[in-house]
Amino acid sequence: MAPYDSSRWENLIAHITTSSNDSIRLSYISCAPAATTTTTKGTILLIHGFPETSHQFRHVITPLSDAGYRVIAPDYRGAGRSSKPVAGYTKARMAEDLHKLLYSHIGISGKVHVVGHDIGGMIAYAYAQLHGESVASLVWGECALPGSQLFDAIKGLEDVFHFLFHQILDLPEALIAGKEDVYIRHFFDKQTVVADFLDREDFEVYVQAYKQPGAMRAALNVYRAFGEDARRNREWLKENGPIKVPSLGLFGGGFKLAELADGMVQEMCQGGEVRAVEACGHNIAEERPGEFVNEVLEFVGRHSA
């Protein structure tokens, strides 16, 4: 895969205080449109998944910005170079972190396009529920959203063993410690269609990120919050109905969720669209970055001011 261009990226740190009085550090990449761009079309927020960090979007940040968008790609709470507190891993709290990052720290004005993958898709959905007035469009996928009928149907299946394993206190941390590379490699190997999408250096970025003190505990706590996430999502659905923000469910056509995705997206998003990237597994932005960029730009382009 061709090297990615990071020449316009800024690697930055924000210190924010949430409504729960958490003071946390958020690491993020900011990429402005090229100097030749005459009009900035808006802001795209990219939210990564597990076992990844903002590095997941390395191939797509610059192409998205080349199309005229400011791109922000944070390490969410607990991941990468961001703080790793013991608590605060409901997707509503994690969404609040990112809203504070954009509007209180960076000073974004206007609506943003929110794009989330895997755990990031769950955070993106919570973001749209809580801050729909500031969301121009929502692209989310490669996750079974807690509280959805799909999540309830698959949460005990072997393919998602980690949904249950990660709920156990203390034992997963003990078993994974010192074997982070084995554990992380398992997820990439079983979820991938494009076999050579991840070279050794990129894989090591993830391994070293999750070897940091507190990082694996934080990652597991993200899953331990699924029960509360499910409760909140069902509550929102009952009170508000499906979200009204223009929504696209984006899935890898070669991964198992693609064939089940339409029902979930229609359940949770009013008028939601679903697209599958062919010959692609779970990690769309890494396996098929060109197709990822095309799908995102086509959708957000229809919903830009």
Side-chain angles (χ1 to χ4, degrees), residues 175-219:
L175 295 177
I176 296 168
K179 298 181 179 178
E180 290 86 357
D181 57 339
V182 176
Y183 197 63
I184 290 171
R185 174 59 71 183
H186 166 81
F187 289 99
F188 287 125
D189 286 350
K190 80 169 186 175
Q191 297 174 341
T192 296
V193 169
V194 181
D196 60 351
F197 82 93
L198 193 66
D199 64 26
R200 185 65 197 178
E201 290 182 2
D202 293 319
F203 177 66
E204 278 300 315
V205 170
Y206 298 135
V207 171
Q208 293 305 316
Y210 286 97
K211 278 187 173 182
Q212 295 178 84
M216 191 57 72
R217 179 207 66 226

Side-chain angles (χ1 to χ4, degrees), residues 114 121-133 135-141 145 232-249 264-273 299:
V114 182
M122 300 177 189
I123 299 169
Y125 181 83
Y127 192 109
Q129 280 283 7
L130 291 167
H131 307 291
E133 74 288 346
V135 179
S137 70
L138 170 67
V139 180
W140 64 292
L145 192 68
R232 288 293 300 273
N233 286 338
R234 286 193 292 264
E235 185 178 88
W236 283 329
L237 194 60
K238 182 178 179 180
E239 292 178 356
N240 308 321
I243 60 172
K244 311 306 188 291
V245 171
S247 302
L248 171 67
M264 177 179 64
V265 172
Q266 297 308 319
E267 178 189 8
M268 309 306 287
C269 303
Q270 181 174 297
E273 302 176 33
F299 188 74

Side-chain angles (χ1 to χ4, degrees), residues 6-304:
S6 61
S7 59
R8 296 205 311 274
W9 298 7
E10 293 183 277
N11 292 281
L12 302 168
I13 297 290
H15 295 273
I16 66 170
T17 301
T18 72
S19 61
S20 303
N21 228 20
D22 291 341
S23 294
I24 66 169
R25 179 186 70 253
L26 290 177
S27 171
Y28 66 101
I29 296 166
S30 177
C31 184
T36 54
T37 302
T38 56
T39 303
T40 300
K41 297 178 181 177
T43 299
I44 296 176
L45 172 67
L46 300 174
I47 314 174
H48 66 86
F50 172 81
E52 292 148 314
T53 66
S54 56
H55 189 69
Q56 169 184 358
F57 297 113
R58 62 196 176 278
H59 296 296
V60 304
I61 291 172
T62 299
L64 290 173
S65 72
D66 285 343
Y69 294 91
R70 182 178 188 178
V71 180
I72 306 294
D75 294 330
Y76 58 55
R77 173 190 295 244
R81 294 192 298 154
S82 293
S83 294
K84 298 164 181 64
V86 173
Y89 294 97
T90 65
K91 307 314 163 286
R93 288 277 292 277
M94 297 173 79
E96 185 199 353
D97 294 345
L98 302 185
H99 189 264
K100 287 274 189 179
L101 170 68
L102 293 181
Y103 290 94
S104 298
H105 177 78
I106 298 175
I108 296 294
S109 61
K111 296 183 178 183
V112 300
H113 302 280
V114 182
V115 180
H117 165 266
D118 185 73
I119 295 296
M122 300 177 189
I123 299 169
Y125 181 83
Y127 192 109
Q129 280 283 7
L130 291 167
H131 307 291
E133 74 288 346
S134 64
V135 179
S137 70
L138 170 67
V139 180
W140 64 292
E142 285 304 315
C143 65
L145 192 68
S148 69
Q149 294 178 31
L150 176 58
F151 180 86
D152 290 340
I154 72 168
K155 63 184 179 182
L157 298 181
E158 179 180 339
D159 283 342
V160 290
F161 78 94
H162 56 295
F163 283 15
L164 296 178
F165 178 57
H166 291 180
Q167 302 290 323
I168 302 168
L169 294 177
D170 300 329
L171 182 62
E173 289 93 327
L175 295 177
I176 296 168
K179 298 181 179 178
E180 290 86 357
D181 57 339
V182 176
Y183 197 63
I184 290 171
R185 174 59 71 183
H186 166 81
F187 289 99
F188 287 125
D189 286 350
K190 80 169 186 175
Q191 297 174 341
T192 296
V193 169
V194 181
D196 60 351
F197 82 93
L198 193 66
D199 64 26
R200 185 65 197 178
E201 290 182 2
D202 293 319
F203 177 66
E204 278 300 315
V205 170
Y206 298 135
V207 171
Q208 293 305 316
Y210 286 97
K211 278 187 173 182
Q212 295 178 84
M216 191 57 72
R217 179 207 66 226
L220 299 175
N221 283 346
V222 167
Y223 287 81
R224 289 167 182 150
F226 277 4
E228 177 61 14
D229 297 333
R231 186 192 68 78
R232 288 293 300 273
N233 286 338
R234 286 193 292 264
E235 185 178 88
W236 283 329
L237 194 60
K238 182 178 179 180
E239 292 178 356
N240 308 321
I243 60 172
K244 311 306 188 291
V245 171
S247 302
L248 171 67
L250 187 60
F251 294 82
F255 193 55
K256 297 177 181 180
L257 279 176
E259 61 192 50
L260 305 171
D262 188 66
M264 177 179 64
V265 172
Q266 297 308 319
E267 178 189 8
M268 309 306 287
C269 303
Q270 181 174 297
E273 302 176 33
V274 177
R275 296 295 299 273
V277 176
E278 297 305 319
C280 183
H282 179 62
N283 305 286
I284 305 170
E286 295 181 286
E287 293 185 55
R288 300 290 183 192
E291 289 84 344
F292 178 92
V293 169
N294 290 341
E295 293 289 356
V296 169
L297 288 179
E298 193 281 328
F299 188 74
V300 304
R302 285 192 271 133
H303 302 287
S304 294

